[in-house]
Structure formats: C-alpha cells, structure tokens
Amino acid sequence: MPPRQRLSPADRHAQLLSVGARLFAAHPYTDVLMEQVAEAAGVSRALLYRHFPSKHALFAAVYQEAADQLLAGTRFDPAESLVEQLTQGMDVHLDYFIANRNAVLAANRVLAGDPVIQTIMTNELDALRARLLAVLPLTDEHAREAVSGVLKSWLVFVRVLCVDWLTHETCTRTQLRDVCIGAAVGALRPLLAEDPAPDWPRHGSLTQDADPARRTP
C-alpha cells in the first residue's frame, strides 16, 4: 500500500473516484474489490467505506461523474452543421467508451436492471436530446414533439449499437460513427423543413476507414 496522503474530505473523495474509475476501466465489474480500491488509493477500507458504503455506490459515483464529463465535452453549436455537431458528440462518447470498455459494459450488461445506473444514463440521454432540440430548426411545437420522439429512439439505438460494438467489433470506429450519424440524418429529414445534411451520405465511409488515426487497435 502506498503511503497515505493527508487530503481534505473533498480531495479524498475525488481521489477515490479517480482510483475507482481507473480500476473499473481496467477490469470487469465483478473482478473489482473494494479492498483493491483501498489499497490502490493508499487508504484503509474503513476510510473508503466512509466515502462509499459499497462497490455499487462507488461505481454509481464514477459513472455519474463520467456522464457529467461527457455532457460537458459534447458541444452543440448552431453555427455548425448537424453532421459536424453529431460527429463531435459521437467522437467524445466513443473516446470514453473505448477507453472505459469494462465500465460501459458493466453499466449496460452487468447492471442493466439497476435503477440507479439506468437513471444516470437516462438523464444523460435526456440532456443530450434537449440540447439537440435546441439547435435544430423546428418550425412549431408539433415538429418539436415529433423530432423529440425520434431523437429519444435514436439515442437508445446508438447506446445499444455501441455496447454491442464494444463486445464484438464488426466494423471500424469511423464506420460505427457514420452509421449512427446516418441513422439520425435519415430519421430527421422527413420532419424538418430543410434538409439538415444535404451533403450526406459520406460516400465510401462504409468501405474504408476515412479516419485511420481513430481506428482502435
């Protein structure tokens, strides 16, 4: 165990979250033990349990922090095209999903029925949907309701597809991203007064990876 550092309660809480995030990313959820977290953080188990009463509580806090950071890192700028906005948002999320594969699979598979974890994910998806609605050219409330329903279903589709891809990569990262963007564009076109992406589809994106720097190993 590394020597214990004297930290304020807030700093200690943040440190434990960081250690927990690292271990949940590196190992399947069932393999992570609270004893390992305490040892990696250089604290006693008693101190760890004062901050997080269970492994579930620690994971929930880690995932909530990740959701907050993903929302903060996803920008929706009406000055950019819809495809540019969706590309940026997908890249932010895919960066996290790939770097934290075990944590994402834990939230969506091992803890799929857990109400706390599901609430965290639902809240993030709802926030993303609200922000997308705010930048789309909607003419009236009827159009807003229709687009909102489409976006809700699309976000669930993206989540399921990305989780499946983390389990078995049947295409490249760029292809996965473009499939998700294409699904959004195709679903929204009939509901908007103007074509949100007149230059879409991006020809050739399904036959070759247009962004080799973003390929997974």
Side-chain angles (χ1 to χ4, degrees):
M1 178 184 295
R4 184 182 302 181
Q5 298 174 298
R6 296 183 66 86
L7 299 174
S8 69
D11 288 342
R12 179 65 71 190
H13 191 85
Q15 181 222 11
L16 294 173
L17 274 178
S18 177
V19 171
R22 187 174 72 248
L23 290 176
F24 285 126
H27 307 284
Y29 178 81
T30 53
D31 291 350
V32 178
L33 304 176
M34 290 293 271
E35 292 82 354
Q36 294 173 322
V37 177
E39 181 177 1
V43 302
S44 66
R45 284 182 291 176
L47 178 57
L48 173 61
Y49 279 110
R50 282 203 293 272
H51 284 268
F52 302 102
S54 66
K55 181 170 75 169
H56 174 273
L58 175 60
F59 183 85
V62 165
Y63 217 74
Q64 180 65 69
E65 183 176 62
D68 293 342
Q69 291 174 349
L70 286 171
L71 281 175
T74 303
R75 67 175 188 272
F76 292 110
D77 184 350
E80 295 182 339
S81 70
L82 176 63
V83 169
E84 288 173 328
Q85 295 176 75
L86 292 177
T87 297
Q88 190 273 337
M90 285 297 306
D91 280 339
V92 168
H93 281 74
L94 286 172
D95 283 345
Y96 175 80
F97 293 163
I98 292 168
N100 298 272
R101 183 187 306 262
N102 284 312
V104 174
L105 291 177
N108 288 276
R109 295 282 173 84
V110 181
L111 300 172
D114 183 87
V116 174
I117 304 303
Q118 294 309 305
T119 296
I120 293 170
M121 288 192 286
T122 298
N123 288 343
E124 191 213 348
L125 295 185
D126 286 346
L128 289 170
R129 175 165 50 119
R131 289 168 63 179
L132 274 168
L133 283 170
V135 299
L136 287 171
L138 304 175
T139 56
D140 53 43
E141 188 58 31
H142 178 71
R144 180 181 177 83
E145 290 180 3
V147 170
S148 179
V150 166
L151 289 176
K152 183 176 183 179
S153 297
W154 175 74
L155 287 164
V156 173
F157 162 78
V158 170
R159 171 183 158 188
V160 172
L161 188 61
C162 288
V163 170
D164 286 347
W165 182 79
L166 289 174
T167 305
H168 183 57
E169 296 182 22
T170 54
C171 61
T172 68
R173 174 204 168 110
T174 298
Q175 289 169 347
L176 172 69
R177 185 192 66 192
D178 286 358
V179 165
C180 293
I181 294 171
V185 170
L188 291 173
R189 271 182 173 143
L191 301 175
L192 300 177
E194 297 182 4
D195 190 334
D199 296 329
W200 190 268
R202 188 179 299 155
H203 294 294
S205 62
L206 293 181
T207 57
Q208 60 184 357
D209 194 328
D211 189 0
R214 286 192 174 275
R215 288 179 181 170
T216 54

